[in-house]
Amino acid sequence: MPKSINSTQPPLKFIPPRFNPLILKVMSLFLPFILRVRTRPWLPAGIVKIEAQNAEVLAKLYHEFQGGKIRFLIAFRHPEVEDPLSMLYLLSRIVPQVAREKGISLQYPVHSHFMYERGMTLWAGNWLGWLFSRCGGVPVRRGRKVDRNAIQMARNLFVNAKIPIAIAPEGGTNGHSGMVSPLEPGVAQMGFWCVEDLQKANRTETVFIIPVAIKYSYVIPPWQKIDWLLSKLEADSGLVGAEINQSGKNKEEILYQRILRLAEYLITEMEEFYRRFYHQEFTEVISQDISANELLINRLHRLMDTALTITEKYFNVQPQGNFIDRCRRLEEAGWNYIYRDDIKDIHSLPPLKRGLADWVAEEADLRMQHMRIAESFVAVTANYIQEKPTADRFAETVLLMFDMLSRIKDSTLPGRPRLGLKQAMITVGEPISVTERWQVCQGNKQAFRQGVSDLTQDLFVALERLIKD
């Protein structure tokens, strides 16, 4: 049984950025240690090596930014929770080092404001909001149609701050270093707004968006740990039956067959769960002309749709957009039931109203668990492992399955088991000029919307190219 929130909570207040260079300096000083200690068993595996390609591009851009010639936004890939630390390492250590080697003069700090998801402080603690604020972070409520506080703050920083701003256009982690999730249009929109605001202020800076890809890999392929974790998941799920035929198969083929078997078992169990207790019907998926793993993905997507539909009906939310969009909107709906903006003082409520508010919060949190299970698998595809059967992709997939089982067992997602030390490769792409695009579509709303759409698509293509290079 998941451990639900059992009482209503105060509203989630906006945490304004209060950038403090001293706090940033302390963070940068201890950054290698912070990255390394994340190898503790109850936290994700730590990063022991970070390298960058084309960091000179960023060094030159910072030089021009500090000279008042340009404004830019760093649009970075967001595969894992470690990404903010990796980006901090890139900006605080690698870029200044490259600048010194190339004779490019830079002023301290080489840093950026950044947007982070407001919910991070709920599972990490209030200390994270304090730290992110002092490091220049802007919290955003992802599910809100318009988070005015966040948008206005980020828009102002993009135009006027002494350092650039960084945003993950995917909106959240997807657990896949080798796959880019659909991008949200906010980054492109921010770019066009920045050009407009500069024009209104009679300023001549050119606006750029810089695509940055982050890819993680294990220093030593953790095949034994993957086998161990998969065995643990099989045991925890109660999977029993015939063993995989290992005759003539290598370890990758055997592990892949075990993953498929476990996935099919889990999907079947969850279908029965929703059929029996939520009165959902699951008709047989026609398997003609599709492979076994494609059939499995179709069943997974149907299961995700079922979980989201149940939650949407409870919160009276219309299903719109892709799985990611639906998860975001449900997250916001759930928070509105738990973190009550309409209650000025929770403690002043009479016992009846307090009891009802607690009841609503507890049930909302429990309903959101359906969404969380679906959220774990939004990036899963039929051929991710088959395209490149590397230990990294096997590990990513098995860890997502671990997340799913953990949510059902405990609700509060525990730290993932460590599979080994990791390294990161950060690749800086070529700057995309937003100013040039804005000049083509200014003054025409339809052309403006198309310009935002085209820029979003071009940024997606650029990020995909960077992770494949």
Side-chain angles (χ1 to χ4, degrees):
M1 180 70 175
K3 301 172 184 176
S4 302
I5 290 176
N6 56 18
S7 62
T8 191
Q9 304 294 314
L12 292 176
K13 295 182 179 179
F14 180 74
I15 306 173
R18 296 185 174 91
F19 179 58
N20 187 324
L22 178 60
I23 299 296
L24 175 64
K25 204 171 192 66
V26 173
M27 272 289 294
S28 301
L29 180 65
F30 288 97
L31 186 56
F33 173 75
I34 295 171
L35 288 164
R36 187 62 183 253
V37 297
R38 290 181 68 82
T39 58
R40 289 177 293 180
W42 57 90
L43 290 174
I47 302 170
V48 295
K49 182 180 180 182
I50 299 178
E51 296 180 316
Q53 296 177 336
N54 303 328
E56 184 180 351
V57 171
L58 267 182
K60 291 178 178 177
L61 288 167
Y62 268 95
H63 176 76
E64 293 185 53
F65 181 97
Q66 293 175 352
K69 298 178 181 179
I70 67 171
R71 309 293 297 183
F72 68 86
L73 180 153
I74 300 173
F76 65 95
R77 274 235 54 217
H78 199 8
E80 302 289 351
V81 295
E82 292 91 352
D83 299 335
L85 296 175
S86 298
M87 288 298 298
L88 178 58
Y89 192 94
L90 170 69
L91 298 181
S92 66
R93 291 176 177 265
I94 296 178
V95 171
Q97 179 181 344
V98 170
R100 288 191 295 269
E101 293 172 354
K102 300 295 183 179
I104 302 171
S105 62
L106 295 179
Q107 305 168 19
Y108 181 84
V110 178
H111 186 56
S112 73
H113 290 285
F114 57 95
M115 299 190 77
Y116 66 95
E117 202 266 307
R118 179 64 174 84
M120 292 180 67
T121 63
L122 301 181
W123 56 263
N126 291 332
W127 67 269
L128 188 66
W130 181 94
L131 179 62
F132 277 1
S133 172
R134 271 64 183 179
C135 289
V138 179
V140 61
R141 299 272 290 266
R142 296 180 305 184
R144 282 188 171 176
K145 189 173 182 180
V146 179
D147 188 340
R148 298 188 183 280
N149 286 330
I151 291 174
Q152 291 175 358
M153 179 61 70
R155 184 171 177 173
N156 178 62
L157 291 172
F158 196 175
V159 176
N160 298 311
K162 295 181 180 179
I163 53 179
I165 189 168
I167 301 177
E170 291 165 283
T173 61
N174 72 357
H176 289 61
S177 281
M179 180 186 300
V180 181
S181 292
L183 306 188
E184 298 179 0
V187 165
Q189 181 74 73
M190 289 282 295
F192 280 99
W193 281 340
C194 184
V195 177
E196 286 185 344
D197 293 342
L198 290 172
Q199 291 283 334
K200 291 176 182 178
N202 294 316
R203 290 165 54 181
T204 59
E205 297 102 310
T206 303
V207 178
F208 293 98
I209 290 177
I210 321 301
V212 174
I214 307 175
K215 291 180 67 175
Y216 297 99
S217 60
Y218 289 93
V219 176
I220 300 174
W223 291 112
Q224 289 185 339
K225 289 293 184 66
I226 294 171
D227 177 80
W228 162 79
L229 180 55
L230 190 52
S231 297
K232 174 176 170 53
L233 297 180
E234 291 168 342
D236 287 350
S237 65
L239 176 59
V240 294
E243 292 295 323
I244 298 294
N245 182 6
Q246 301 185 14
S247 177
K249 297 178 180 178
N250 58 34
K251 64 176 180 293
E252 291 90 343
E253 292 172 325
I254 295 170
L255 284 173
Y256 186 61
Q257 290 302 314
R258 290 175 63 191
I259 287 175
L260 288 181
R261 185 181 66 166
L262 178 59
E264 182 176 11
Y265 176 82
L266 291 174
I267 290 172
T268 301
E269 285 291 307
M270 294 305 296
E271 285 175 344
E272 178 59 25
F273 169 74
Y274 282 113
R275 180 183 292 111
R276 181 178 178 184
F277 298 105
Y278 290 87
H279 318 295
Q280 302 298 305
E281 293 297 328
F282 295 94
T283 57
E284 183 179 356
V285 178
I286 299 175
S287 59
Q288 186 177 2
D289 298 328
I290 62 173
S291 65
N293 57 339
E294 288 175 326
L295 173 62
L296 208 58
I297 291 297
N298 288 343
R299 289 178 62 194
L300 173 63
H301 287 171
R302 184 180 64 179
L303 184 64
M304 292 165 61
D305 178 70
T306 299
L308 293 177
T309 299
I310 288 171
T311 316
E312 286 162 344
K313 286 181 178 179
Y314 175 77
F315 288 115
N316 195 28
V317 171
Q318 294 301 313
Q320 296 177 359
N322 57 32
F323 285 133
I324 298 175
D325 297 330
R326 293 169 69 183
C327 287
R328 298 284 185 270
R329 297 179 73 231
L330 285 172
E331 181 179 65
E332 181 63 23
W335 284 1
N336 288 337
Y337 278 39
I338 299 170
Y339 304 94
R340 300 285 293 274
D341 291 312
D342 59 322
I343 300 177
K344 293 182 179 180
D345 183 6
I346 294 172
H347 302 290
S348 67
L349 291 175
L352 171 63
K353 292 186 177 181
R354 177 61 188 266
L356 292 174
D358 291 345
W359 189 355
V360 167
E362 185 173 11
E363 187 167 3
D365 184 68
L366 188 57
R367 294 281 180 167
M368 288 174 69
Q369 299 306 321
H370 298 283
M371 179 273 290
R372 294 300 182 197
I373 291 174
E375 186 181 42
S376 298
F377 296 99
V378 293
V380 173
T381 65
N383 56 0
Y384 184 66
I385 290 180
Q386 288 183 315
E387 284 179 351
K388 289 185 178 180
T390 62
D392 300 314
R393 294 198 176 196
F394 273 101
E396 289 174 348
T397 302
V398 175
L399 285 169
L400 288 177
M401 300 173 86
F402 171 85
D403 290 347
M404 179 261 196
L405 282 173
S406 298
R407 290 189 189 281
I408 294 174
K409 291 190 301 179
D410 303 310
S411 170
T412 53
L413 190 62
R416 288 173 160 185
R418 61 178 182 180
L419 300 182
L421 300 178
K422 300 173 78 173
Q423 56 194 359
M425 173 58 72
I426 305 176
T427 307
V428 181
E430 290 302 315
I432 301 173
S433 174
V434 185
T435 302
E436 291 179 4
R437 294 166 181 259
W438 181 84
Q439 291 171 348
V440 174
C441 62
Q442 62 174 312
N444 185 314
K445 289 185 178 180
Q446 184 175 352
F448 185 90
R449 287 194 293 268
Q450 187 61 47
V452 170
S453 177
D454 291 343
L455 178 53
T456 302
Q457 178 59 28
D458 290 346
L459 178 58
F460 177 85
V461 172
L463 290 171
E464 273 204 325
R465 186 182 301 117
L466 291 177
I467 65 172
K468 293 182 185 303
D469 290 345

